[in-house]
């Protein structure tokens, strides 16, 4: 299988590239290194050291990983993007090349505008390139569980649902209710994908993924193979942040009362899920919505779990709720459906979350002095209401 991964330098992109290469698949990577620049802009850095992209590629053990081609391309540059896709004619394209931070999108008008234009135009460019080059290319688009919000009904894993209004019924797109400009950009992407599938019969997998945690996958066996790991208030996600907080000995930071429940999965399970979806595409012209997660937890449950695990490792950590900078429900119903991935073989988390947290803390501890330099980027500063 030949796969083009856009956003190959990122947390998921690099980890997925390693998985596909280790399975003997061919990978063409695309990135414009935007995340590296944007993380520097907020005064932070990846908790785990990563070299330049070329250093990372040079560090790949040749006996375990096949070769990777790479292009420094901004996906909003249609001409250059189309040139790479035309040259390689991949079987599948994975799109991670989006601005991925909710807080970043809420910082200002310009970061909101960047998020919306980069994400929506980038995805539109892939849609057009596939339509013009080869309609059979499987497009696997990274969306988010945050597209749904936290509705007071079960979240179906389907593109459409049947709705009845004033006694008349019709099929409507599964309701969405996002919580940031970033999450809304993914909703707009979904609508565009559904439309492109309808008019041109493109083959799509739209992944609704929950927050991912973890420092490693089974392929990441040495420092040279690390993927990036963010922890600052803008680019880090909740469980990854808690583990860094535990290592630094600063209080864990559930926002508000901490009842916000989300659908989580480990980095290892995320790359396993993505490989399964790539190796088992929908039929030509098919459209598939996938709720990609393995377990649900509230952010307070996770804080307690990290505190207890840290204490068993001899680290003294407390939990200190902070005023919630976001506009979101802190107590709500949450029951997303999950059937596509279990049917493909990913039935539940492959590793107990507590064990994974232990691995994360142990992986991060050697880099404590590196983390100390960035202690001031942990407290949340981006206020949704401002
Ligand atoms: N939160 C805390 N404490 C923290 C950080 C976050 O309580 O220190 C809370 C947030 O208020 C929120 C929840 O944790 O209720 C999740 O926040 P997050 O920062 O871990 O994740 P989020 O902003 O939702 O976005 C992340 C990724 C995004 C992906 C999304 C999946 O950055 O790319 O799409 O997770 S989901 O959350 O399902 O929308």
């Amino acid at each position: 299988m030949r796969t083009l991964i856009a956003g190959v330098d990122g947390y998921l992109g690099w980890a997925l590239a390693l998985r596909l290469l280790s399975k003997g698949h061919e990978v063409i990577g695309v990135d414009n290194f935007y995340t590296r620049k944007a993380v520097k802009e907020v005064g932070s850095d990846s908790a785990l050291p990563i070299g330049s992209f070329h250093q990372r590629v040079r560090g790949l053990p040749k006996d375990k990983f096949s070769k990777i081609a790479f292009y420094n391309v901004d996906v909003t540059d249609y001409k250059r993007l189309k040139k790479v896709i035309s040259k390689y004619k991949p079987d599948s394209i994975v799109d991670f090349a989006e601005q991925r931070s909710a807080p970043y999108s809420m910082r200002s008008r310009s970061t909101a505008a960047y998020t919306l234009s980069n994400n929506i135009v980038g995805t539109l460019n892939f849609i057009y390139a596939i339509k013009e080059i080869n309609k059979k290319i499987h497009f696997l688009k990274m969306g988010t569980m945050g597209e749904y919000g936290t509705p007071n009904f079960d979240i179906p894993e389907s593109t459409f649902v049947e709705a009845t209004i004033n006694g008349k019924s019709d099929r409507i797109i599964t309701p969405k209710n996002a919580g940031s400009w970033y999450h809304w950009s993914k909703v707009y992407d979904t609508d565009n994908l559904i439309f492109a599938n309808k008019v041109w019969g493109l083959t799509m997998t739209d992944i609704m993924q929950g927050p991912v945690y973890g420092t490693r996958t089974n392929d990441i066996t040495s420092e040279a193979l690390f993927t990036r790991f963010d922890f600052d208030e803008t680019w880090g996600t909740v469980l990854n942040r808690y583990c860094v907080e535990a290592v630094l000995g600063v209080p864990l930071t559930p926002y508000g009362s901490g009842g916000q429940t989300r659908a989580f999965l480990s980095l290892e399970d995320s790359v396993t899920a993505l490989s399964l979806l790539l190796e088992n595409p929908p039929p030509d012209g098919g459209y598939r919505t996938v709720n990609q997660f393995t377990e649900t937890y509230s952010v307070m449950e996770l804080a307690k779990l990290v505190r207890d695990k840290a204490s068993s490792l001899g680290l003294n950590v407390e939990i200190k709720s902070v005023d919630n900078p976001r506009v979101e429900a802190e107590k709500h119903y949450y029951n997303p459906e999950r059937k596509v991935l279990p049917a493909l073989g990913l039935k539940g988390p492959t590793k107990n979350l507590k064990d994974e947290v232990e691995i994360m803390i142990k992986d991060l501890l050697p880099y404590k002095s590196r983390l100390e330099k960035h202690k001031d980027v942990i407290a949340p500063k981006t206020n949704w209401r401002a």
Side-chain angles (χ1 to χ4, degrees):
M1 180 174 66
R2 180 180 284 181
T3 302
L4 184 143
I5 303 178
V8 71
D9 189 48
Y11 180 52
L12 294 176
W14 179 248
L16 178 63
L18 293 183
R19 175 59 47 86
L20 296 181
L21 293 171
S22 75
K23 293 178 113 189
H25 295 305
E26 199 180 327
V27 174
I28 299 102
V30 165
D31 210 295
N32 66 348
F33 304 120
Y34 170 78
T35 301
R36 289 188 188 235
K37 280 178 255 152
V39 172
K40 269 211 188 102
E41 244 173 67
V42 301
S44 192
D45 198 354
S46 167
L48 301 173
I50 52 170
S52 70
F53 194 79
H54 291 291
Q55 283 167 337
R56 300 173 93 178
V57 172
R58 274 202 302 273
L60 290 177
K62 290 189 180 50
D63 54 326
K64 273 181 81 188
F65 300 98
S66 47
K67 261 176 98 178
I68 177 169
F70 176 74
Y71 293 84
N72 184 340
V73 169
D74 181 332
V75 297
T76 63
D77 180 341
Y78 185 60
K79 232 169 124 186
R80 295 195 61 212
L81 181 69
K82 192 175 167 195
K83 212 167 150 191
V84 178
I85 300 173
S86 303
K87 178 170 174 174
Y88 287 94
K89 298 199 173 46
D91 304 300
S92 43
I93 294 177
V94 181
D95 181 14
F96 296 141
E98 297 213 338
Q99 192 297 91
R100 62 168 162 83
S101 159
Y104 184 82
S105 77
M106 297 300 290
R107 278 170 71 175
S108 66
R109 190 217 65 89
S110 73
T111 60
Y114 173 77
T115 304
L116 292 170
S117 60
N118 178 76
N119 293 5
I120 298 167
V121 172
T123 296
L124 191 71
N125 284 349
F126 280 113
I127 290 171
Y128 266 88
I130 291 170
K131 170 190 174 272
E132 287 167 12
I133 296 163
N134 175 10
K135 284 188 184 168
K136 292 203 158 138
I137 295 173
H138 173 204
F139 187 44
L140 195 138
K141 165 72 182 38
M142 183 49 74
T144 168
M145 283 298 290
E147 293 186 35
Y148 300 119
T150 52
N152 198 31
F153 51 79
D154 295 345
I155 297 172
E157 191 182 29
S158 63
T159 312
F160 299 99
V161 288
E162 195 71 13
T164 305
I165 298 175
N166 290 343
K168 290 181 68 74
S169 299
D170 205 347
R171 205 174 70 131
I172 59 167
I173 294 176
T174 300
K176 306 283 162 49
N177 195 357
S180 72
W181 293 121
Y182 155 74
H183 288 98
W184 277 112
S185 75
K186 300 277 188 178
V187 176
Y188 307 144
D189 279 341
T190 290
D191 289 348
N192 292 345
L193 297 177
I194 292 171
F195 182 66
N197 168 264
K198 178 167 120 182
V199 293
W200 299 319
L202 306 191
T203 308
M204 317 268 200
T205 298
D206 192 5
I207 301 178
M208 308 296 161
Q209 182 168 254
V212 179
Y213 59 86
T215 41
R216 56 174 67 224
T217 65
N218 295 341
D219 309 302
I220 299 175
T221 48
S222 69
E223 188 176 283
L225 297 174
F226 276 158
T227 195
R228 62 173 310 113
F229 185 98
D230 294 296
F231 60 96
D232 59 83
E233 69 114 9
T234 313
W235 299 99
T237 52
V238 60
L239 185 52
N240 288 357
R241 278 168 55 72
Y242 286 166
C243 290
V244 168
E245 289 163 353
V247 166
L248 283 173
V250 301
L252 309 185
T253 53
Y255 293 167
S257 60
Q260 304 92 305
T261 301
R262 298 289 182 270
F264 293 86
L265 81 167
S266 68
L267 185 59
E268 167 62 25
D269 287 340
S270 176
V271 299
T272 300
L274 292 162
S275 321
L276 284 168
L277 295 168
L278 284 165
E279 288 165 352
N280 299 278
D284 282 351
Y287 190 101
R288 173 171 66 173
T289 297
V290 180
N291 291 347
Q292 185 156 303
F293 67 97
T294 56
E295 289 176 288
T296 62
Y297 289 95
S298 76
V299 298
M300 185 57 87
E301 282 172 327
L302 289 180
K304 289 180 179 159
L305 201 143
V306 172
R307 179 197 55 197
D308 295 347
K309 180 51 78 182
S311 124
S312 76
L313 296 171
L315 301 169
N316 187 15
V317 183
E318 53 168 328
I319 298 173
K320 201 165 165 199
S321 298
V322 292
D323 282 347
N324 196 337
R326 305 187 182 198
V327 176
E328 61 184 357
E330 292 179 8
K331 194 168 177 237
H332 57 88
Y333 182 74
Y334 199 63
N335 187 26
E337 183 180 28
R338 184 176 176 270
K339 56 179 195 277
V340 176
L341 288 168
L344 291 176
L346 187 68
K347 303 237 180 280
T350 39
K351 200 176 278 146
N352 184 296
L353 190 130
K354 282 188 194 149
D355 296 337
E356 194 74 44
V357 166
E358 178 167 342
I359 295 171
M360 289 164 75
I361 293 177
K362 286 183 173 163
D363 277 346
L364 289 163
L365 272 169
Y367 302 99
K368 188 170 173 186
S369 58
R370 181 183 166 86
L371 296 168
E372 297 274 3
K373 287 189 222 144
H374 301 290
K375 248 181 168 167
D376 55 329
V377 296
I378 288 178
K381 294 184 196 86
T382 313
N383 191 331
W384 262 228
R385 293 169 186 85

